[in-house]
Amino acid sequence: MATLVKKFGGSSVATPEKMHGIVDRILRERQPDDRIVLVVSAMGDHTDDLLTLAAKVNPEMPKRELDMLLATGEQVSIALMASAFCAKGQPAVSFTGAQAGIKTNDKHSKASILDVQACQVKQALDEGKIVIVAGFQGITDLGQITTLGRGGSDTSAVALAAALHADRCQIFTDVEGVYTADPRKVRNTRKLEEITFDEMLELASLGAQVLNNRSVELAKKYNVELEVLSSLNPIPGTVVKEVTKMEGMLIKGVAKDTDVAVITILNVPDEPGTSFKIFGLLAQKNINVDIILQSTGRDGKKDISFTCSEGEADTALRVLKESGKFQDVTCDETCAKVSIVGAGMQSHSGVASKMFEALSNNNINIKMISTSEIKISCIIDRNDADKAVSAIHDMLFD
């Protein structure tokens, strides 16, 4: 007997026909004693349609009310999916995030899961029912409906898998697993048989869109074995787990992120406490900073550059200038970040030089560099991002 949590995204449940296809596949692959929980997203582009509707009513809709609106999308999906199972003679029941016991904090539109009290889910599984849970949503201790942000259904699925001590959490997508690069844009990519949590977390954080990075963090914390696989082709996918084969691939993937802005503060006093003043201001506004570059001090002054998401760049500029301490501030929103990830880099030299050689051969300039034990990231011009990923992939994998 196995307990399995299976997550299906919006494109997988976009039509009644696709829903029936999921039902047929699950009933066909299910073992007699399997306990199955489905976590589903809103149908197709329904969430985007709701956002468009909200903007027409109030462009600055309160986040609490926006959560109330967006949470209805998943409720449509779960009711239809449960009914589709019942139509095939399989008992099933749908639960909202609140009914499934997903408790969150009160940060509307980007809530974090605090606990999962899945009493109703466990009871329904004990009764032999297939359970369908609304992803992307939860409830506070005060009964307020919240949503988890984009990709939140992945996080919902992992949280439920952890609470149920599931044997595996399967994330069904429109690709057949995790690849060494985006197979739709890069030639000769390879599907990975398995990858570690740390490597997957880096790839997810660096722009790979297969898994939500919050879901990988949660899976690592509670040691939930993940599998990324195709919602269309019934073939094995990529397993994400704590430990993989001892002798594996040196590099697991090449990723890009175009949601990058580089902010530079010129002529900063070269004295103790300056960096704290800068990044303390940003932290107060919950602005996430990634790569930081500081020039060598000269004439009592230095320059500091850092990257953040493009959506937070305007806020960062405003905060720094309004402080009255940093007036000479510029922002470059024409950048992208390309990265390579692989635990094998820790014990192999020459990987960075190959990455830089690939960029040099294609006349791509590097603006900033960041490294860790399992990744190397370069900030480059955004127009060169796709070319850079292909060049690096060719250099490392061909």
Side-chain angles (χ1 to χ4, degrees):
M1 180 177 71
T3 299
L4 303 172
V5 176
K6 301 171 181 280
K7 179 262 176 178
F8 291 89
S11 61
S12 299
V13 297
T15 66
E17 292 75 20
K18 289 187 175 182
M19 290 184 177
H20 280 295
I22 292 172
V23 171
D24 291 339
R25 177 175 178 176
I26 288 175
L27 294 180
R28 182 174 62 250
E29 296 177 353
R30 181 191 189 190
Q31 298 300 311
D33 294 329
D34 282 354
R35 296 155 61 89
I36 295 178
V37 177
L38 267 65
V39 176
V40 298
S41 302
M43 298 174 65
D45 297 325
H46 190 57
T47 298
D48 290 333
D49 293 339
L50 290 175
L51 287 169
T52 300
L53 179 62
K56 291 179 179 178
V57 173
N58 182 354
E60 299 181 0
M61 189 170 186
K63 290 185 177 181
R64 179 192 180 279
E65 306 309 325
L66 188 60
D67 278 359
M68 290 286 285
L69 175 67
L70 296 183
T72 64
E74 281 70 26
Q75 289 182 230
V76 173
S77 298
I78 60 174
L80 293 175
M81 282 296 305
S83 297
F85 276 106
C86 292
K88 298 292 176 68
Q90 169 60 52
V93 61
S94 64
F95 293 126
T96 64
Q99 291 171 324
I102 299 176
K103 301 289 186 178
T104 75
N105 60 19
D106 60 358
K107 293 183 180 179
H108 287 285
S109 81
K110 199 174 182 180
S112 297
I113 296 176
L114 302 177
D115 190 20
V116 179
Q117 301 168 0
C119 300
Q120 292 194 72
V121 174
K122 293 175 183 177
Q123 181 179 343
L125 291 173
D126 291 341
E127 294 170 355
K129 297 177 181 177
I130 287 179
V131 176
I132 299 93
V133 177
F136 176 66
Q137 60 180 248
I139 193 167
T140 69
D141 285 338
L142 297 178
Q144 301 299 313
I145 292 175
T146 56
T147 64
L148 308 180
R150 287 289 186 180
S153 292
D154 288 356
T155 308
S156 300
V158 173
L160 278 166
L164 297 170
H165 303 289
D167 296 273
R168 181 169 287 187
C169 179
Q170 296 176 311
I171 308 295
F172 290 83
T173 71
D174 56 357
V175 294
E176 295 177 352
V178 180
Y179 284 78
T180 50
D182 188 342
R184 293 163 294 192
K185 295 184 178 181
V186 180
R187 65 184 182 89
N188 298 329
T189 56
R190 307 178 190 179
K191 187 176 78 173
L192 303 174
E193 181 181 336
E194 53 187 30
I195 187 173
T196 66
F197 286 129
D198 287 337
E199 290 170 325
M200 189 66 246
L201 182 57
E202 288 286 6
L203 283 174
S205 301
L206 294 168
Q209 299 177 351
V210 179
L211 280 176
N212 176 272
N213 61 323
R214 291 166 65 194
S215 69
V216 183
E217 288 177 351
L218 202 59
K220 176 179 172 60
K221 181 177 180 180
Y222 292 101
N223 198 25
V224 174
E225 188 169 293
L226 294 174
E227 183 181 14
V228 181
L229 65 171
S230 170
S231 58
L232 301 174
N233 300 322
I235 59 176
T238 300
V239 176
V240 187
K241 57 184 181 179
E242 186 63 38
V243 180
T244 61
K245 294 177 180 177
M246 293 293 291
E247 293 295 334
M249 296 170 62
L250 176 62
I251 302 297
K252 292 296 178 67
V254 185
K256 72 167 185 178
D257 184 3
T258 56
D259 184 19
V260 176
V262 176
I263 294 179
T264 300
I265 312 172
L266 302 172
N267 300 316
V268 176
D270 188 11
E271 59 188 27
T274 300
S275 295
F276 168 71
K277 293 175 184 177
I278 293 172
F279 297 106
L281 288 169
L282 300 174
Q284 291 175 13
K285 296 297 182 180
N286 296 315
I287 296 173
N288 292 320
V289 174
D290 185 17
I291 301 175
I292 301 173
L293 180 65
Q294 178 175 297
S295 68
T296 303
R298 182 178 300 175
D299 298 327
K301 302 289 184 180
K302 61 185 176 183
D303 301 335
I304 295 179
S305 297
F306 63 87
T307 64
C308 64
S309 70
E310 193 172 359
E312 294 179 327
D314 288 342
T315 303
L317 282 171
R318 177 174 54 80
V319 168
L320 291 170
K321 290 183 177 180
E322 288 180 353
S323 71
K325 301 174 183 177
F326 311 105
Q327 296 300 314
D328 198 355
V329 187
T330 64
C331 180
D332 184 356
E333 295 182 331
T334 65
C335 299
K337 178 169 59 179
V338 291
S339 309
I340 58 175
V341 174
M345 287 193 291
Q346 298 180 61
S347 55
H348 289 76
S349 61
V351 177
S353 66
K354 287 186 177 181
M355 180 182 188
F356 301 152
E357 181 183 355
L359 297 176
S360 174
N361 290 344
N362 286 270
N363 199 32
I364 297 173
N365 185 47
I366 301 173
K367 300 180 180 182
M368 301 172 73
I369 300 172
S370 173
T371 65
S372 73
E373 290 183 333
I374 65 170
K375 76 163 174 89
I376 302 172
S377 296
C378 295
I379 300 298
I380 62 173
D381 188 273
R382 189 173 298 175
N383 291 331
D384 291 329
D386 287 334
K387 180 171 66 172
V389 171
S390 294
I392 295 168
H393 190 275
D394 287 346
M395 175 67 73
L396 294 176
F397 291 97
D398 286 353

